[in-house]
Amino acid sequence: MSNLDAARFQMAYSLFFHMMFAALGVGMPLLMVIAEGLYLRTRKDTYRRLAKTWAKATGLLFAIGAVSGTALSFELGLLWPSFMEFAGSAIGPAFTLEGYAFFLEAIFLGLYLYGWDRLSPRGHWLTGVGIAFSGAMSSVLVTATNAWMQNPVGVETLVNDPANVDPWNMLFFGNSTWPLMAIHSTIATLAAVGFAVAGVYAWQMLKGKRDEIRKHGLTIAMAVGTIAAITMPLTGDLSAKVLAKNQPAKFAAMEALFETRKGAPLLVGGVPNVETGEISYGIEIPYALSFLAHGDFTSEVMGLDQVPRDQWANVPLVHYSFQIMVGAGVVMMLVGLYYAWLRWKRPDQILQSRRLHWILLLSSPLGYLALQTGWIVSEVGRQPWIVWEVMTTASAVTPSPGLMTSVIGFTTLYTLLAVVLVFLLRRLRHVQ
């Protein structure tokens, strides 16, 4: 295995697990805060028990996420030294601010876990709000680095006049990719966690555990998951328009659009053939892609025919991943709306309907499926560039030999972290 293949595999494997840990680290504090807020409002002890249980899970996830994130920071320097030398001054502030958010989260987490019955009820709840906010900000801030790699604003200054680099403008204020990527990815993590937690309670209800605490847990999780699932298409549409402007080659790969077309159709499904440029078994919605890309049904959408062949991404992988992401999002939205309708019209069925419980259980992985395939679209669709149209991934990889040792070590680390997390989460019980 070449250094490039080994490094890409290691980063993909590491990010696959870290994203699961990080998503839970963003979503669980929000569920915890909602549960305690409902306890303060209703004084129902089941909400307090939920908050305490989810607080234990949040503390565990914080510890696992700290190890996972630290390992990733080492990997950046270990695997991609040329990239870090080139872009370090530009992306450094994002990692610095993310570090501040991490420490802030640690402080609030300590106050929350040890502040039960020591702080005032409202003061204790506010420390939980601090955990949720700082955890989300960690994700939002570190996303700025990836957004710059996708849309390298100010790269000319970085190359020609590095002493006058303005990282704040490059990362945040002047980069149109960052706000939408940050919002969309945060909403995606909330959808993933909401549906995953709902699936846990649905499984318990299928086993006959249909008490109030599980009903309330399911309700809170589905509220968060459904709102996130309904919101995702809105941010996704805005993201698509920015993507079509800033990364038209990636946009073409997502849609398997081999030829530039006016009034381009939106492809649903389909099996692309990169050799012939033909699509099999797909359904085309006339003019829809032009509208999705530019808000105009007759606008021209750039195809892969305007991209040098050696700069094409893996079109089938990007296209299939995009289709899976959209499909999973649509199913989550429909399931969420069905749950909301059932709760409104037949609330007694929330605890009793085995059909509902099976639907929620089967749909519980969809949020994570959408999250992971979305990042495949983002990262594989950017290839062969590590910094879009500036630096290739091949030129950024380390030339050092013996990279397989690193691959084995980090793969083992993330596998063990995942096993430990599952083992410890399974041992959590609702606090009495």
Side-chain angles (χ1 to χ4, degrees):
M1 182 183 292
S2 68
N3 267 21
L4 179 59
D5 291 336
R8 291 185 65 187
F9 171 82
Q10 182 175 321
M11 287 298 296
Y13 193 85
S14 302
L15 284 168
F16 173 81
F17 284 102
H18 180 69
M19 283 172 55
M20 292 194 292
F21 306 150
L24 285 166
V26 172
M28 289 304 301
L30 179 61
L31 300 182
M32 176 189 76
V33 166
I34 293 173
E36 187 175 5
L38 290 171
Y39 166 70
L40 293 177
R41 180 179 177 183
T42 65
R43 292 299 172 180
K44 288 185 178 180
D45 188 58
T46 51
Y47 288 124
R48 188 174 191 268
R49 291 171 58 191
L50 271 175
K52 282 197 167 186
T53 301
W54 288 345
K56 292 166 65 177
T58 298
L60 172 61
L61 289 162
F62 181 83
I64 295 289
V67 177
S68 173
T70 302
L72 268 177
S73 66
F74 281 116
E75 287 181 80
L76 283 174
L78 178 68
L79 301 178
W80 315 105
S82 298
F83 164 73
M84 294 302 294
E85 180 182 8
F86 170 73
S89 60
I91 65 177
F95 285 106
T96 301
L97 291 174
E98 192 272 340
Y100 281 121
F102 174 82
F103 288 118
L104 190 63
E105 184 181 5
I107 292 169
F108 280 124
L109 183 61
L111 291 171
Y112 190 89
L113 292 176
Y114 295 101
W116 288 101
D117 304 320
R118 294 179 176 88
L119 300 173
S120 68
R122 186 174 297 275
H124 185 265
W125 178 77
L126 287 174
T127 64
V129 173
I131 298 171
F133 175 78
S134 53
M137 288 307 297
S138 289
S139 173
V140 165
L141 290 168
V142 80
T143 301
T145 297
N146 191 272
W148 183 80
M149 294 163 70
Q150 307 284 349
N151 182 30
V153 173
V155 71
E156 297 85 1
T157 304
L158 183 64
V159 173
N160 300 317
D161 190 12
N164 290 315
V165 164
D166 182 1
W168 303 103
N169 186 64
M170 295 167 67
L171 290 169
F172 304 111
F173 306 117
N175 197 327
S176 61
T177 300
W178 171 66
L180 283 173
M181 179 178 284
I183 294 170
H184 189 64
S185 63
T186 301
I187 292 172
T189 62
L190 296 179
V193 173
F195 273 82
V197 173
V200 172
Y201 287 109
W203 172 243
Q204 292 179 355
M205 289 179 182
L206 284 168
K207 295 194 296 183
K209 299 176 181 179
R210 300 177 182 179
D211 51 33
E212 283 295 303
I213 193 169
R214 287 169 177 82
K215 177 183 177 181
H216 292 324
L218 179 65
T219 299
I220 295 171
M222 282 305 297
V224 171
T226 300
I227 293 172
I230 292 173
T231 309
M232 275 197 301
L234 303 177
T235 57
D237 176 68
L238 294 173
S239 299
K241 288 177 169 55
V242 171
L243 186 66
K245 177 183 177 182
N246 295 336
Q247 294 179 291
K250 180 194 290 188
F251 191 79
M254 287 163 49
E255 290 293 336
L257 185 68
F258 291 101
E259 295 182 1
T260 302
R261 296 177 64 176
K262 290 185 176 180
L266 180 68
L267 179 63
V268 178
V271 178
N273 186 323
V274 295
E275 300 300 329
T276 63
E278 297 177 347
I279 305 294
S280 304
Y281 312 110
I283 300 172
E284 292 188 346
I285 304 176
Y287 306 105
L289 184 61
S290 288
F291 184 79
L292 177 67
H294 304 297
D296 181 351
F297 288 106
T298 61
S299 64
E300 182 176 272
V301 181
M302 192 190 87
L304 289 167
D305 57 339
Q306 296 190 27
V307 182
R309 185 65 179 83
D310 61 352
Q311 294 181 18
W312 286 19
N314 186 328
V315 177
L317 178 58
V318 174
H319 176 67
Y320 297 146
S321 298
F322 178 67
Q323 296 288 311
I324 292 171
M325 178 191 70
V326 173
V330 169
V331 173
M332 282 194 295
M333 184 170 59
L334 294 175
V335 170
L337 291 173
Y338 171 69
Y339 172 86
W341 175 85
L342 197 65
R343 182 172 178 79
W344 176 42
K345 289 290 188 179
R346 303 174 66 184
D348 59 300
Q349 292 298 300
I350 300 300
L351 281 177
Q352 303 303 324
S353 175
R354 291 183 62 84
R355 179 173 65 179
L356 172 66
H357 301 157
W358 273 111
I359 290 173
L360 294 179
L361 177 63
L362 293 174
S363 62
S364 62
L366 291 180
Y368 271 105
L369 181 62
L371 187 66
Q372 296 288 1
T373 51
W375 277 102
I376 289 174
V377 171
S378 179
E379 297 308 294
V380 178
R382 189 178 67 215
Q383 297 307 313
W385 307 102
I386 191 169
V387 179
W388 184 254
E389 295 185 336
V390 174
M391 174 181 280
T392 64
T393 309
S395 66
V397 72
T398 178
S400 300
L403 204 57
M404 281 306 299
T405 303
S406 172
V407 171
I408 294 171
F410 279 95
T411 300
T412 302
L413 170 65
Y414 279 95
T415 303
L416 288 175
L417 286 175
V419 171
V420 169
L421 179 62
V422 171
F423 174 77
L424 293 176
L425 286 177
R426 285 177 58 86
R427 293 180 64 85
L428 284 181
R429 295 291 185 267
H430 285 298
V431 178
Q432 300 298 322

